[in-house]
Amino acid sequence: MKNDIYLTLEKSDLKIQEELDFGEVPYFVDACIETFFDVDKKFGLNLKDSDGVWVNLYAKYNPCDNQFRVDYVVSSSDSNVWRVYQPTQAEINMIQTLIEEACIKQTGHTCKDEFIRRAMEEADEINLVCEKVSETEYQIRNTWDDLVIHTEDETGKLKDHVGHKIEYAKYEAEDGYSFSVECMDCNEVLFAQTDDPQEEVAYAEGVYDYGEYRIVVSPDYKKAIDARDAPEEIYCEVFVKTDVEYKNGLGEFNMMLGYEYDDTTVESIEEGINKLMDESISFYELQRREAEFDRANELLARSVSYITELSGTENLRETLIEKLGMTEAEADNMAQEFEMDIETEQGMTLG
Ligand SMILES: [Zn+2]
C-alpha cells in the first residue's frame, strides 16, 4: 500500500485466492482476496498482537450490470466477522481488473462472457427482450429469470432495437463454442463474445510521442496507473514516427522508479522520458540518418536487381556507368555483387 494520505489500495496489496466462484441464482462472480497491507491502518482494527486472526476481502461482482460489493472479513479459528467496505472508484476498477485477469486465466473468457455463458446454459428457457429502462438506459433481459445480460446508454446500439426479436446464438469455435446476441428483425449482431480476452485487460504496451520520435513503452504506464498497478520499471524503445510498422528500432532504454523518475505519476514518468530523450537526441538523429541511408541502399540494390531481370547481367557494368552515371569503381563493386548473387543462386539450384 502506497503511503498516501488515503491509504488507497494498490494491485500489489491484493491477491485472488484459489478459484473464482460463479454462484447460481442470483448470479455473481465471487472472489476471495488475500490482503497484503496493513489492515489495522486501513480498516481501523487492532490485530497487530493477535495471533491466528486474519483479514480477507470478499468481492461480489456482476459484470453485466456492474453491481459490485466488497466486504472484509476478520477471521479466526472460531469466528468470522463480516464488514462492508466502501471502496473508492479507483479501487473498484483495480479489484475488477484483478478479478477479470483471474477469470481469463481460469476460464479463458472475460467475466461477462463467462457469466452469460453459464446463465444461458442454466436457463430452462431463453427468451430475450431489448427494452428501455430509463431516459438513458437500455438493456437485454431474459424474461424467464429476469436476468439482465447487457446494458447500454443511449450512445449504444440497443436503442434502435427496442421490442425487436432478439436471439442468443451459439457458433462452433476451437474451444467449444462462441456466442453472440442478435436482432433477428434487423439481422444485426448486438454484441458477441470477446475474441481476445487477454487484450481486454492488458496494458502491456503503449506509445509516447517525443518530437518526430515515437517511443513504445512497456508497460503502458497510463493504463497501469489507472489500474492501480503502477510500474517500478518501464522499458522504452525509440522509433521514428513515420516508421509505423516499428521496423527500425533506433535505440532503447530502461527507466526505474527512484532513478529516471521520482514518482509513479504520468507527469513524472513523461518528464523522465523527455529528459532521457533530450540527453541522447544527437544519438537518435544519427541512428535515424543511418536507417535512412540503409533504406536508400536497399532501394538502389532493388533497382539494379530489376535491371538485371530485364536485360541480364552481361552488360550490367556498362549500363550502370552509362545509364546511372556510376563511376567505374562503383560499377565494378555493384556488378561484382550481383554476379556473386547470381552464382550463389545458380549454385543453390544445381546443388
Ligand atoms: Zn432490431
Side-chain angles (χ1 to χ4, degrees), residues 254-303:
N254 234 3
M255 311 220 313
M256 282 175 79
L257 178 62
Y259 294 91
E260 286 80 17
Y261 59 103
D262 300 324
D263 228 334
T264 44
T265 60
V266 172
E267 297 74 35
S268 176
I269 290 168
E270 292 183 349
E271 223 170 82
I273 297 178
N274 288 343
K275 190 162 167 281
L276 285 163
M277 287 301 291
D278 288 347
E279 283 168 5
S280 314
I281 194 65
S282 54
F283 169 77
Y284 292 116
E285 287 295 335
L286 207 69
Q287 293 295 307
R288 182 178 155 185
R289 248 177 270 155
E290 201 167 286
E292 281 164 3
F293 186 66
D294 286 348
R295 172 79 179 150
N297 261 343
E298 191 194 321
L299 290 179
L300 173 64
R302 276 196 223 162
S303 312

Side-chain angles (χ1 to χ4, degrees), residues 15 150 160 215 247 289:
K15 189 177 165 225
H150 188 63
D160 300 326
I215 298 149
K247 279 189 170 162
R289 248 177 270 155

Side-chain angles (χ1 to χ4, degrees), residues 51-323:
D51 277 345
V53 183
W54 66 95
V55 175
N56 283 333
L57 293 180
Y58 285 87
K60 253 187 175 340
Y61 173 40
N62 177 331
C64 292
D65 63 8
N66 262 318
Q67 278 191 63
F68 186 76
R69 173 197 168 109
V70 188
D71 295 321
Y72 66 90
V73 185
V74 183
S75 302
S76 65
S77 55
D78 56 0
S79 75
N80 289 308
V81 178
W82 291 70
R83 297 262 168 83
V84 178
Y85 173 59
Q86 206 62 255
T88 64
Q89 191 55 48
E91 287 175 338
I92 293 175
N93 296 346
M94 183 267 288
I95 296 172
Q96 285 181 355
T97 305
L98 212 60
I99 296 174
E100 283 290 351
E101 285 172 352
C103 184
I104 291 166
K105 209 169 150 197
Q106 187 178 325
T107 69
H109 306 124
T110 64
C111 282
K112 183 177 173 183
D113 288 349
E114 183 64 19
F115 188 89
I116 293 174
R117 288 164 67 101
R118 284 175 187 252
M120 293 297 111
E121 271 164 33
E122 279 164 35
D124 285 346
E125 262 175 60
I126 299 176
N127 180 28
L128 300 179
V129 290
C130 177
E131 55 198 4
K132 184 173 181 169
V133 192
S134 73
E135 265 328 295
T136 55
E137 279 174 296
Y138 298 82
Q139 68 183 28
I140 289 182
R141 175 174 60 94
N142 189 8
T143 58
W144 176 72
D145 55 1
D146 276 341
L147 186 76
V148 174
I149 60 167
H150 188 63
T151 57
E152 274 178 9
D153 63 16
E154 73 281 8
T155 62
K157 280 183 173 178
L158 293 192
K159 67 169 188 304
D160 300 326
H161 303 276
V162 173
H164 292 188
K165 186 170 164 43
I166 309 295
E167 264 182 21
Y168 174 76
K170 280 159 88 170
Y171 297 97
E172 251 183 71
E174 259 175 61
D175 58 343
Y177 71 91
S178 176
F179 74 81
S180 68
V181 171
E182 304 173 6
C183 176
M184 303 318 282
D185 291 342
C186 308
N187 204 6
E188 194 179 331
V189 174
L190 302 182
F191 69 96
Q193 183 176 308
T194 311
D195 289 332
D196 190 351
Q198 283 301 352
E199 203 141 279
E200 288 288 291
V201 295
Y203 39 83
E205 269 182 7
V207 293
Y208 174 73
D209 284 345
Y210 172 95
E212 290 166 54
Y213 296 92
R214 176 153 296 164
I215 298 149
V216 175
V217 293
S218 168
D220 183 332
Y221 52 85
K222 282 186 193 163
K223 284 192 193 165
I225 288 169
D226 275 349
R228 313 279 322 163
D229 189 17
E232 287 182 9
E233 204 171 338
I234 300 165
Y235 173 74
C236 302
E237 197 172 4
V238 184
F239 297 86
V240 184
K241 249 189 209 170
T242 49
D243 182 6
V244 287
E245 286 173 29
Y246 303 114
K247 279 189 170 162
N248 269 311
L250 303 179
E252 56 193 47
F253 55 89
N254 234 3
M255 311 220 313
M256 282 175 79
L257 178 62
Y259 294 91
E260 286 80 17
Y261 59 103
D262 300 324
D263 228 334
T264 44
T265 60
V266 172
E267 297 74 35
S268 176
I269 290 168
E270 292 183 349
E271 223 170 82
I273 297 178
N274 288 343
K275 190 162 167 281
L276 285 163
M277 287 301 291
D278 288 347
E279 283 168 5
S280 314
I281 194 65
S282 54
F283 169 77
Y284 292 116
E285 287 295 335
L286 207 69
Q287 293 295 307
R288 182 178 155 185
R289 248 177 270 155
E290 201 167 286
E292 281 164 3
F293 186 66
D294 286 348
R295 172 79 179 150
N297 261 343
E298 191 194 321
L299 290 179
L300 173 64
R302 276 196 223 162
S303 312
V304 175
S305 164
Y306 184 62
I307 293 172
T308 64
E309 260 173 51
L310 290 181
S311 50
T313 48
E314 260 169 54
N315 298 315
L316 182 60
R317 191 174 171 280
E318 286 65 33
T319 312
L320 294 177
I321 296 170
E322 279 165 30
K323 305 287 182 197

